[in-house]
Amino acid sequence: MASVHESLYFNPMLTNGVVHANVFGVRDWVTPHKMALLVLLSELGRAGSQLGLLERRRLNRLLLPLLQGPDMALSRLRKAIEECCPHLAGSVHIRLKLMAEGELKDMEQFFDDLSDSFSGTEPEVHKTSVVGLFLRHMILAYNKLSFSQVYKLYTALQQYFHKDDKKDGADESEMELTNPEELDGRMEKEELDGPLREEEIACSGPLSQKQAEYFLSQQASLLKNDETKALAPASLQKELNNLLKFNPDFAEAHYLSYLNNLRVQDVFSSTHSLLHYFDRLILTGAESKSNGDEGYGRSLRYAALNLAALHCRFGHYQQAELALQEAIRIAQESNDHVCLQHCLSWLYILEQKIFDSCVLLEHSVNKSLHFGLPYLASLGIQSLVQQRAFAGKAANKLMDALKDSDLLHWKHSLSELIDISIAQKTAIWRLYGRSTMALQQAQTLLSMNSLEAVNVGVQQNNTESFAVVLCHLAELHAEQGYFAAASEILKHLKERFPPNSQHAQLWMLFDQKIQFERAMNDGRYHVADSLVAGITALNSIEGVYRKAIVLKAQNQMSEAHKLLQKLLIHCQKIKNTEMVIRVLLSTAELYWRSSCHTIALPVLLQALALAREYSLQYLASETVLNLAFSQLILGIPEQALNILHMAIEPVLAHGAVLDKGCAMFLVAKCQVASAASYTPEKKTEALESAILNLNEAKNYFAKVDCKEQLRDVLYFQARLFHTLGKTQERNKCAMLFRQLHQELPAHGVPLINAFK
Amino acid sequence: MAAAVVTAGGSDFSDLREIKKQLLSVAERSRERGLQHSGKWAAELAFALEPLPLSELPPPPVLTEEDARDLDAYTLAKSYFDLKEYDRAAYFLQGCKSQKAYFLYMYSRYLSGEKKKDDETVDSLGPLEKGQVKNEALRELRVELSKKHKAQELDGFGLYLYGVVLRKLDLVKEAIDVFVEAAHALPLHWGAWLELCNLITDKEMLKFLSLPDTWMKEFFLAHIYTELQLIEEALQKYQSLIDAGFSKSTYIISQIAVAYHNIRDIDKALSIFNELRKQDPYRIENMDTFSNLLYVRSMKPELSYLAHNLCEIDKYRVETCCVIGNYYSLRSQHEKAALYFQRALKLNPRYLGAWTLMGHEYMEMKNTSAAIQAYRHAIEVNKRDYRAWYGLGQTYEILKMPFYCLYYYRRAHQLRPNDSRMLVALGECYEKLNQLVEAKKCYWRAYAVGDVEKMALVKLAKLHEQLNESEQAAQCYIKYIQDIYSCGEVVEHLEVSTAFRYLAQYYFKCKLWDEASACAQKCCAFNDTREEGKALLRQILQLRNQGETSSTDVAAPFFLPASLSASNTPTRRVSPLNLSSVTP
């Protein structure tokens, strides 16, 4: 059963799951956009009390994002101001126009005047206010400029202004070009520019520092939360290359390029980008004196750790281990406990591939809590719960642990972990065979709104948790016979996680599993067989198991048995208990199909013991059904009925429709068999209740369209009616049976011997 | 038009007089167009040939009607151009139709753009503008030139300029085509060939070029073979050029020296450079390479002499700064060395060698982060700079990150597959990571490709020792000793004693008394193993006396070159290096 994977990689731009791009301190530079803001501020001061209260409030709310946001075109800025106060927008435009169309001295004068706003007994602007700081930054930056730089700034301002102007009058200028010769020359020029243009269109000029940062952080968070909404790998790479061409020192771009390369599974480029990023980071770490040596050493450790993560992602576990050892060694040498904790978590993930290592994990959780790393601690708890669930620890304790970690998540608003936690609960409930609980948890997650502030507009992210939950939901629906709903969910999954995205494998597996089940129900074994290859590609153990089932259904008993035995040994080795039980059940079925019920019994008992031990309730009840059937065949139907009472309740409550049908059918059979020794009245009563049960079974079978079982039920019912002397009902059943019988090929196995 | 006069003849060198005539005339024509480097190259080469009698001197170029019309403007503009007043030159050349004037017009516009670009970089408006500074003139030039190109109005020089513009716009494919065309139109113009050299990145690309079949092609091929590290071929080409009569050419001599430097044949390279300095004492080009060689050999007085000499000639040249940097580095004054490399970079930011060398200096100063920065810059300028990759690897190795540096060493190894230093470095890293199998592969390969430092075998032997593969270890030690002795050098080699000690022990264990005692005697020659050797000798004597009498015929010591001469060249089978690592 799929549960949450360890896809949460460490990311220096993310702390506790939140994206931060501004790693480097940005120095302020005067740009035309900033000048426009300065003009706006000075106009604001000049307008003073003339402004209405409402307008003033609107403007104040507008100012902060403008001051902190990226540069934008003048037209957009004007629009924003106009929305607040049209009068002010006009005066700002006129001031800018005067400055842009005037002389250099106008700009110089403007900056000279700016500093006046601080003077006086009651200054317009406080020196330490947000606006005051901005003004002082700008004045300082302006005063630092050399002569040629001032001139350049002025020409940039002119361009900034005229670009906006031109946009307004673009249509007119187009019309003016009436001279055919000139038009011709223009055409040719454009033609020649063709190849160059193409490259430039995508990037449409260089980005400013803030814009670049915004772009990077946005894309990074999209890559993490919703891959489909991020730019396509190729175009993102193009953007990044462009960014790096204009500013080779922008190291984060290398990191994003690493993430992007991970998306397309490109080992070479991603390694290259990652190392490049850290080479660059080391520089900046060394430059900033505040961090001192510490900052520099720190990035070294994380560099090694990230390399380990990369190798792990690509399945190079040995390489990953070497890199991790290195990270651990360096972290130990410099006493960096936080880094060590990260290493420990990764160590667990790596060791997990080799042997289970709860000790490591427990240690990690303790230490992480101690060092105040809630994210890491919660991840640890979740992994621990997952492991414990597989190891058959008490369910109440696990749920308690999850609840405790949930408290932590809500406290720190770690929305991602909340999602994971719910997805995990869904998976665990399914593992225990409580489909209603699983269904409820899945619905909880799906109807929850995301806490993440990054994309406020979007209610949910496309993270793995959602994929997991949706897959479970699809399977649950399919089990209940709502195939249309299931395929609807799968369609949704396909849209949300396109086939080449990271989590697409999940739904692919579930899709094929559902199809497989349907094919088996319909008796289209060749279809099921063709699906096995697909399943094997995604999950080899599941694939082998399904292959065995197909073989069994095709009556190739010895092959099936061989395969199951191999699988059993393998699963016991990797401690996949759930699969062990399923394999045991299938083996038992093989035995009773070959009429070796006495051999089947110990196998079934073993399965039952295991299922009870690991509290896999649903598998346990299925085992009981099998056991009851064997007892029925061995001639102790009363005993069978007794234990059936144990199993029937969970099956009816949580079971798949098919299983419910089988269970009811079996109950009816046992009732009939045990009725043989009853007194006639009692016997009639028993048979009548058996008929009722059969009706119920029939309903269930009809739901999943199992014609074979339906036919068997009808035959059985007809016989019972016959015994009871109800000829009319008997004939009806017989007719239905006849119809089905003509449709279906004759069954190889005697009727009474089949339980499934 | 004039191109017909000076088309280079066939590819043979039978008529050196004709070649000389062509060279002289092309030198003149390049100069007329302000292409000083090409002119210099042609003149240098022409100087290497016999002087021509007066009657055979090439006639002054014939002036056409157009030339005459533009003559005044051209003369004025050329003088401005020579004074580096490009905009002024371009202004007076506007509207000129003659090829020469037109070329100068376009060329001064191009140079003016480049100059402005360089000036702009100094004062930009912010960190983001740093990379944005572009030569604004390029696009206009491209449009105009491509129009002319389509109309086939460009001569060889014009095509060359068009190619340069395209290359600056990063349109590499188009640029290559245009340069090839330029080489066809005017094969004598070395500039076009040189640009081609810079654009061709591998042998395959070279194969698919259709180049004019002239004697210039030989020079081009020799040059590009050197660039592509195909040293054997390059040396062959140069030798045949010398045989053809260019033996006095300083250009060829310097290229040969550089080629020897590239294959690390230090002695030959040094002697050639010395010869070159005798012929051309005021030469500054390639002297940085020379100083590298002197540095490697730790020839302090020579390096000091060279540095002073160059400093006298011109202290503001990149090469001079490099030589001085090397000089300081050899004297372990690393701060000063770094300073001089920085100066070199200020003079020419595209001068790749200085970045790498600066990285080395920072490494010496233990300033790893600055070193990483310098190396990364070097890689940015040229991705194929194996020394920078190697340097990065070393830096991380110093930071005790053996796994991390594997990647860098591997990059370096990819670029220089037959350089033993990278292989030894890789092997050491694997050894540190306890991946002994990989380490063994690396060391063996390093030995097989010809170990420079002769340490690979010892390291391999020690690995075998660790793995208790005593036979292989002994084999390695024997090979190592043979190697050392066959070199003929009596250099104090630290590991020789260890080798003998191990061998003595090994033979002792194998009860091969003769060999054991020979080795033990050798051990006595070294200070650190003397006692052990003596002890072993005593033991052997004892055991021998107990046992049967030894065989009397004393064979020549197995490890001496005498026995080696039987199989003079040990067949070093180079097996493909198949490291199990999946990483790039």
Side-chain angles (χ1 to χ4, degrees):
Chain A
M1 206 161 286
S3 66
V4 183
H5 294 197
E6 77 290 332
S7 76
L8 290 159
Y9 38 88
F10 166 75
N11 179 337
M13 285 203 276
L14 299 169
T15 43
N16 287 342
V18 183
V19 179
H20 297 292
N22 195 355
V23 176
F24 307 117
V26 190
R27 283 178 60 201
D28 268 323
W29 295 87
V30 190
T31 61
H33 168 77
K34 297 235 171 85
M35 288 194 54
L37 287 185
L38 290 174
V39 170
L40 171 66
L41 285 175
S42 85
E43 281 299 314
L44 203 63
R46 204 188 276 178
S49 52
Q50 292 166 27
L51 285 172
L53 207 60
L54 188 65
E55 282 174 334
R56 185 161 270 278
R57 192 195 294 157
R58 278 200 211 132
L59 276 170
N60 285 346
R61 279 178 62 183
L62 177 70
L63 268 182
L64 195 64
L66 280 180
L67 294 187
Q68 293 177 340
D71 287 10
M72 53 169 88
L74 182 57
S75 54
R76 270 184 62 198
L77 178 67
R78 230 170 67 191
K79 229 183 191 168
I81 305 172
E82 253 165 26
E83 276 167 18
C84 301
C85 176
H87 158 70
L88 205 61
S91 55
V92 167
H93 188 72
I94 290 166
R95 280 279 297 273
L96 271 177
K97 190 183 167 104
L98 283 177
M99 209 179 336
E101 287 174 356
E103 285 175 59
L104 189 58
K105 81 170 182 357
D106 292 321
M107 191 173 81
E108 283 171 348
Q109 186 62 41
F110 173 69
F111 274 100
D112 287 342
D113 293 342
L114 264 186
S115 45
D116 292 344
S117 46
F118 294 115
S119 56
T121 43
E122 215 165 276
E124 292 169 26
V125 186
H126 261 291
K127 275 191 174 176
T128 47
S129 66
V130 177
V131 172
L133 273 177
F134 177 71
L135 280 178
R136 279 162 60 202
H137 265 147
M138 284 300 115
I139 294 169
L140 197 67
Y142 176 79
N143 287 338
K144 263 202 221 153
L145 296 181
S146 69
F147 177 78
S148 60
Q149 282 172 323
V150 170
Y151 184 69
K152 242 181 124 183
L153 176 65
Y154 185 64
T155 45
L157 178 72
Q158 280 177 329
Q159 275 172 7
Y160 176 70
F161 184 76
H162 287 300
K163 219 186 272 166
D164 181 51
D165 248 17
K166 229 184 256 164
K167 222 178 259 169
D168 292 346
D171 303 330
E172 293 156 43
S173 63
E174 209 89 351
M175 296 301 288
E176 275 167 28
L177 275 177
T178 42
N179 191 342
E181 207 184 313
E182 208 182 310
L183 201 67
D184 216 43
R186 213 180 124 107
M187 289 286 287
E188 207 174 344
K189 200 165 170 178
E190 263 172 15
E191 225 169 78
L192 285 168
D193 287 354
L196 258 184
R197 276 277 173 82
E198 231 169 88
E199 290 149 29
E200 275 170 315
I201 273 176
C203 48
S204 65
L207 303 160
S208 74
Q209 177 102 14
K210 280 235 174 91
Q211 278 171 326
E213 267 168 21
Y214 177 69
F215 172 75
L216 288 184
S217 68
Q218 184 200 25
Q219 291 296 326
S221 97
L222 281 178
L223 278 189
K224 178 169 159 278
N225 291 324
D226 193 350
E227 216 185 287
T228 44
K229 289 212 184 67
L231 282 177
S235 51
L236 181 55
Q237 197 59 44
K238 216 170 171 184
E239 286 280 341
L240 288 174
N241 288 344
N242 187 50
L243 195 70
L244 286 172
K245 200 167 113 199
F246 286 126
N247 188 357
D249 299 331
F250 210 77
E252 282 95 340
H254 287 294
Y255 195 83
L256 193 61
S257 137
Y258 152 66
L259 292 180
N260 193 31
N261 283 318
L262 276 188
R263 262 165 105 192
V264 289
Q265 307 267 308
D266 185 343
V267 198
F268 290 86
S269 316
S270 48
T271 319
H272 185 74
S273 298
L274 182 70
L275 296 189
H276 202 149
Y277 168 70
F278 278 105
D279 282 347
R280 289 282 173 194
L281 194 71
I282 284 162
L283 314 181
T284 49
E287 263 167 28
S288 59
K289 282 279 180 277
S290 57
N291 281 343
D293 257 357
E294 185 49 37
Y296 161 49
R298 184 170 179 270
S299 56
L300 277 183
R301 303 191 276 279
Y302 283 102
L305 185 60
N306 263 282
L307 196 60
L310 176 121
H311 284 305
C312 192
R313 266 300 271 276
F314 284 105
H316 311 151
Y317 295 119
Q318 201 198 355
Q319 313 282 325
E321 221 179 297
L322 288 172
L324 194 61
Q325 277 170 13
E326 206 158 285
I328 292 174
R329 194 171 36 73
I330 309 173
Q332 269 172 344
E333 276 168 16
S334 47
N335 270 333
D336 183 349
H337 290 286
V338 177
C339 181
L340 275 175
Q341 284 322 302
H342 281 286
C343 293
L344 189 56
S345 309
W346 272 105
L347 190 63
Y348 162 70
I349 289 171
L350 278 178
E351 299 287 288
Q352 198 188 21
K353 312 279 173 203
I354 308 160
F355 60 96
D356 47 67
S357 44
C358 287
V359 193
L360 277 179
L361 207 52
E362 277 166 28
H363 211 70
S364 160
V365 171
N366 283 338
K367 285 275 176 184
S368 301
L369 281 175
H370 180 248
F371 290 111
L373 300 166
Y375 193 79
L376 217 51
S378 295
L379 268 186
I381 293 176
Q382 284 172 349
S383 304
L384 206 55
V385 165
Q386 183 178 338
Q387 187 129 39
R388 291 280 157 84
F390 285 131
K393 287 282 156 28
N396 56 343
K397 278 190 185 159
L398 297 186
M399 285 295 163
D400 257 5
L402 276 181
K403 194 193 73 203
D404 288 347
S405 72
D406 270 349
L407 281 181
L408 216 66
H409 304 152
W410 288 103
K411 203 166 123 195
H412 296 274
S413 19
L414 304 170
S415 68
E416 191 185 356
L417 289 177
I418 295 171
D419 294 353
I420 295 178
S421 165
I422 297 177
Q424 202 168 25
K425 277 183 211 156
T426 314
I428 289 178
W429 281 126
R430 278 219 72 196
L431 182 70
Y432 289 154
R434 309 276 182 166
S435 58
T436 34
M437 286 304 287
L439 207 60
Q440 184 242 338
Q441 289 291 344
Q443 297 288 5
T444 313
L445 180 60
L446 289 176
S447 47
M448 207 170 64
N449 284 347
S450 171
L451 288 180
E452 210 129 327
V454 183
N455 27 5
V456 186
V458 193
Q459 287 198 331
Q460 282 170 0
N461 293 319
N462 276 3
T463 47
E464 195 184 10
S465 339
F466 283 89
V468 170
V469 161
L470 280 168
C471 285
H472 279 306
L473 208 57
E475 212 179 28
L476 286 170
H477 277 90
E479 271 180 7
Q480 296 307 323
Y482 304 122
F483 293 113
S487 69
E488 197 70 25
I489 294 170
L490 280 169
K491 215 173 95 193
H492 177 67
L493 270 167
K494 264 175 224 176
E495 275 163 21
R496 225 164 136 172
F497 305 91
N500 50 7
S501 67
Q502 202 187 327
H503 309 303
Q505 286 191 352
L506 272 174
W507 63 253
M508 287 178 180
L509 180 62
F510 275 78
D511 187 17
Q512 298 197 43
K513 268 161 99 178
I514 292 171
Q515 281 183 40
F516 179 88
E517 294 292 345
R518 279 198 83 173
M520 289 301 289
N521 289 351
D522 293 354
R524 291 176 292 147
Y525 302 131
H526 57 283
V527 178
D529 199 21
S530 68
L531 284 167
V532 165
I535 296 177
T536 314
L538 294 165
N539 184 346
S540 55
I541 293 179
E542 191 74 37
V544 174
Y545 173 66
R546 305 261 161 175
K547 179 77 195 168
I549 290 183
V550 173
L551 286 174
K552 187 178 74 183
Q554 287 169 338
N555 284 333
Q556 298 179 338
M557 299 298 180
S558 54
E559 281 89 347
H561 186 253
K562 258 186 241 159
L563 215 53
L564 283 173
Q565 285 308 317
K566 261 189 221 161
L567 190 60
L568 185 64
I569 292 166
H570 179 66
C571 287
Q572 276 166 344
K573 209 161 77 190
I574 61 167
K575 295 195 176 143
N576 188 345
T577 320
E578 191 191 357
M579 190 49 90
V580 167
I581 298 169
R582 283 208 252 156
V583 170
L584 286 174
L585 280 179
S586 296
T587 319
E589 202 178 326
L590 269 184
Y591 286 136
W592 59 247
R593 279 205 176 194
S594 332
S595 308
C596 308
H597 292 276
T598 37
I599 307 176
L601 274 180
V603 176
L604 283 171
L605 286 173
Q606 191 191 346
L608 187 62
L610 269 177
R612 288 260 165 85
E613 188 190 335
Y614 287 86
S615 52
L616 307 175
Q617 196 202 18
Y618 191 67
L619 282 172
S621 15
E622 212 169 308
T623 317
V624 171
L625 288 185
N626 271 298
L627 212 54
F629 176 69
S630 290
Q631 285 172 333
L632 170 71
I633 300 298
L634 288 173
I636 34 173
E638 296 83 5
Q639 202 57 41
L641 261 181
N642 270 345
I643 61 167
L644 261 181
H645 282 299
M646 229 165 31
I648 202 79
E649 202 176 320
V651 167
L652 288 182
H654 298 288
V657 178
L658 182 64
D659 290 336
K660 287 185 199 169
C662 289
M664 294 317 292
F665 194 15
L666 187 60
V667 170
K669 277 187 205 166
C670 288
Q671 280 172 330
V672 174
S674 53
S677 55
Y678 293 167
T679 54
E681 307 93 69
K682 232 180 162 188
K683 191 175 174 182
T684 321
E685 204 177 299
L687 290 186
E688 259 162 11
S689 90
I691 285 173
L692 285 182
N693 284 337
L694 281 175
N695 272 335
E696 206 171 324
K698 209 161 64 180
N699 284 339
Y700 287 134
F701 286 133
K703 239 187 204 168
V704 271
D705 211 19
C706 283
K707 287 191 183 129
E708 244 170 277
Q709 273 89 343
L710 217 54
R711 181 185 60 181
D712 296 350
V713 173
L714 283 169
Y715 174 77
F716 207 68
Q717 234 175 352
R719 290 297 297 263
L720 286 183
F721 281 129
H722 179 74
T723 321
L724 290 171
K726 296 185 178 173
T727 330
Q728 207 176 356
E729 282 91 343
R730 182 200 69 189
N731 288 349
K732 199 175 146 206
C733 284
M735 189 193 70
L736 285 173
F737 168 77
R738 176 91 185 124
Q739 272 172 8
L740 278 175
H741 196 63
Q742 271 168 345
E743 268 178 53
L744 294 169
H747 211 297
V749 187
L751 192 57
I752 195 71
N753 276 3
F755 142 65
K756 260 193 176 175
Chain B
M1 32 143 240
V5 186
V6 275
T7 27
S11 59
D12 55 37
F13 292 90
S14 51
D15 195 353
L16 283 180
R17 289 192 160 199
E18 185 55 38
I19 289 176
K20 170 129 189 174
K21 264 195 243 174
Q22 290 169 5
L23 280 172
L24 282 177
S25 88
V26 84
E28 177 61 30
R29 292 179 65 206
S30 304
R31 252 196 314 280
E32 279 176 354
R33 285 165 176 78
L35 296 165
Q36 284 139 358
H37 285 281
S38 297
K40 185 197 84 179
W41 187 84
E44 261 180 3
L45 212 57
F47 182 74
L49 296 174
E50 290 291 312
L52 292 175
L54 179 62
S55 59
E56 293 212 23
L57 281 179
V62 195
L63 287 177
T64 59
E65 192 64 30
E66 277 180 333
D67 285 331
R69 211 181 303 135
D70 294 339
L71 189 63
D72 293 338
Y74 166 76
T75 316
L76 178 67
K78 181 69 172 57
S79 55
Y80 287 145
F81 181 92
D82 290 341
L83 290 168
K84 294 198 165 49
E85 295 186 63
Y86 301 119
D87 284 332
R88 210 168 166 193
Y91 174 76
F92 285 102
L93 281 170
Q94 264 169 8
C96 285
K97 290 274 181 273
S98 69
Q99 291 281 7
K100 198 161 67 182
Y102 179 72
F103 177 83
L104 196 63
Y105 170 59
M106 297 304 262
Y107 193 47
S108 23
R109 278 174 63 189
Y110 166 73
L111 283 182
S112 136
E114 285 292 294
K115 185 165 175 285
K116 276 184 195 147
K117 186 181 109 184
D118 283 349
D119 294 346
E120 291 274 297
T121 17
V122 184
D123 48 19
S124 57
L125 272 179
L128 269 167
E129 279 209 339
K130 205 161 67 187
Q132 288 173 35
V133 186
K134 277 193 291 199
N135 185 345
E136 298 295 339
L138 283 179
R139 298 190 60 177
E140 288 170 34
L141 284 176
R142 180 183 169 224
V143 172
E144 283 174 43
L145 283 170
S146 72
K147 234 184 268 174
K148 283 248 180 190
H149 181 225
K150 256 187 203 155
Q152 304 210 317
E153 283 170 13
L154 289 177
D155 64 349
F157 292 109
L159 284 168
Y160 162 73
L161 183 59
Y162 183 38
V164 170
V165 170
L166 287 176
R167 181 174 68 81
K168 286 274 173 183
L169 286 169
D170 287 332
L171 299 167
V172 178
K173 244 181 96 197
E174 290 89 336
I176 290 179
D177 291 343
V178 172
F179 280 127
V180 171
E181 211 180 321
H184 274 284
L186 183 65
L188 285 168
H189 182 212
W190 179 240
W193 294 103
L194 209 57
E195 289 288 342
L196 261 184
C197 279
N198 291 334
L199 291 178
I200 288 169
T201 49
D202 55 42
K203 217 176 166 182
E204 290 302 305
M205 266 171 94
L206 186 60
K207 264 187 206 161
F208 290 108
L209 288 182
S210 72
L211 295 167
D213 196 22
T214 72
W215 54 267
M216 283 290 280
K217 190 178 165 186
E218 299 299 306
F219 282 94
F220 165 71
L221 286 178
H223 192 97
I224 198 157
Y225 285 149
T226 324
E227 292 280 306
L228 296 178
Q229 309 273 356
L230 302 165
I231 305 296
E232 297 258 316
E233 287 92 330
L235 283 176
Q236 232 168 20
K237 283 275 178 207
Y238 281 126
Q239 192 53 49
S240 64
L241 284 174
I242 285 178
D243 293 343
F246 289 98
S247 56
K248 280 199 281 181
S249 162
T250 47
Y251 163 76
I252 292 180
I253 296 174
S254 67
Q255 283 295 108
I256 292 177
V258 170
Y260 276 121
H261 165 261
N262 284 354
I263 50 168
R264 307 200 62 80
D265 193 337
I266 296 169
D267 294 317
K268 265 209 179 119
L270 275 177
S271 71
I272 293 171
F273 266 121
N274 280 325
E275 180 63 25
L276 183 65
R277 295 239 333 132
K278 251 178 232 155
Q279 283 187 23
D280 189 0
Y282 291 94
R283 184 187 179 97
I284 292 186
E285 281 166 87
N286 304 112
M287 283 307 124
D288 47 341
T289 318
F290 185 35
S291 75
N292 284 348
L293 290 169
L294 293 175
Y295 179 88
V296 170
R297 274 288 143 90
S298 322
M299 295 161 85
K300 260 191 213 172
E302 285 85 349
L303 190 54
S304 145
Y305 175 71
L306 181 70
H308 286 131
N309 200 340
L310 287 183
C311 198
E312 253 168 40
I313 301 168
D314 183 355
K315 59 180 176 179
Y316 294 117
R317 280 283 291 265
V318 179
E319 288 89 345
T320 312
C321 293
C322 249
V323 173
I324 298 175
N326 270 336
Y327 166 69
Y328 276 125
S329 178
L330 194 58
R331 297 190 41 161
S332 312
Q333 290 178 311
H334 299 294
E335 288 87 356
K336 278 194 179 167
L339 200 72
Y340 270 93
F341 290 129
Q342 271 169 6
R343 182 186 279 187
L345 284 170
K346 258 183 208 151
L347 290 169
N348 181 4
R350 284 172 285 275
Y351 183 68
L352 157 80
W355 277 120
T356 319
L357 290 172
M358 200 156 80
H360 292 334
E361 293 314 312
Y362 281 127
M363 283 273 287
E364 294 285 346
M365 290 193 265
K366 301 272 181 293
N367 186 350
T368 39
S369 60
I372 291 171
Q373 180 175 26
Y375 287 134
R376 264 291 168 195
H377 269 291
I379 291 168
E380 223 147 76
V381 182
N382 181 4
K383 256 189 223 164
R384 301 182 54 79
D385 183 18
Y386 69 94
R387 282 165 305 166
W389 286 112
Y390 182 70
L392 271 177
Q394 276 185 319
T395 318
Y396 281 110
E397 201 176 344
I398 285 180
L399 290 168
K400 292 191 210 157
M401 299 170 76
F403 182 76
Y404 206 75
C405 69
L406 271 183
Y407 170 80
Y408 297 103
Y409 281 141
R410 247 184 247 137
R411 286 304 279 249
H413 170 65
Q414 269 169 12
L415 294 169
R416 298 263 300 186
N418 286 334
D419 196 320
S420 64
R421 286 167 301 168
M422 282 75 174
L423 283 163
V424 172
L426 264 177
E428 280 171 358
C429 286
Y430 278 122
E431 210 179 322
K432 276 181 201 152
L433 292 170
N434 222 7
Q435 305 232 308
L436 300 183
V437 185
E438 310 289 334
K440 271 198 284 188
K441 277 185 204 163
C442 288
Y443 288 141
W444 176 248
R445 173 83 177 196
Y447 164 68
V449 296
D451 190 10
V452 184
E453 280 143 357
K454 309 227 175 292
M455 284 310 289
L457 273 176
V458 181
K459 287 179 190 293
L460 187 61
K462 283 186 176 160
L463 269 184
H464 283 306
E465 241 182 276
Q466 267 185 40
L467 295 169
N468 283 330
E469 297 165 342
S470 52
E471 193 140 335
Q472 278 102 318
Q475 288 295 325
C476 286
Y477 277 128
I478 292 172
K479 270 197 204 113
Y480 168 66
I481 291 167
Q482 282 171 350
D483 246 26
I484 294 289
Y485 278 84
S486 65
C487 258
E489 285 177 73
V490 205
V491 201
E492 269 303 307
H493 232 277
L494 252 175
E495 300 293 343
V496 176
S497 55
T498 356
F500 276 122
R501 185 173 59 194
Y502 183 82
L503 281 177
Q505 302 277 7
Y506 171 72
Y507 285 125
F508 183 75
K509 261 183 224 151
C510 299
K511 301 202 169 66
L512 293 165
W513 310 122
D514 288 334
E515 284 86 348
S517 64
C519 287
Q521 267 158 9
K522 278 279 171 191
C523 278
C524 298
F526 301 95
N527 277 335
D528 51 341
T529 51
R530 183 165 296 141
E531 290 311 312
E532 241 174 295
K534 277 180 186 165
L536 203 62
L537 273 177
R538 271 198 297 277
Q539 263 181 309
I540 292 168
L541 209 66
Q542 239 176 357
L543 285 166
R544 260 192 178 167
N545 288 341
Q546 284 171 9
E548 77 281 16
T549 50
S550 66
S551 53
T552 41
D553 54 319
V554 180
F558 57 95
F559 48 78
L560 288 184
S563 66
L564 186 72
S565 63
S567 57
N568 211 343
T569 43
T571 44
R572 293 170 173 180
R573 208 164 46 79
V574 181
S575 59
L577 187 66
N578 187 16
L579 300 177
S580 75
S581 42
V582 260
T583 43

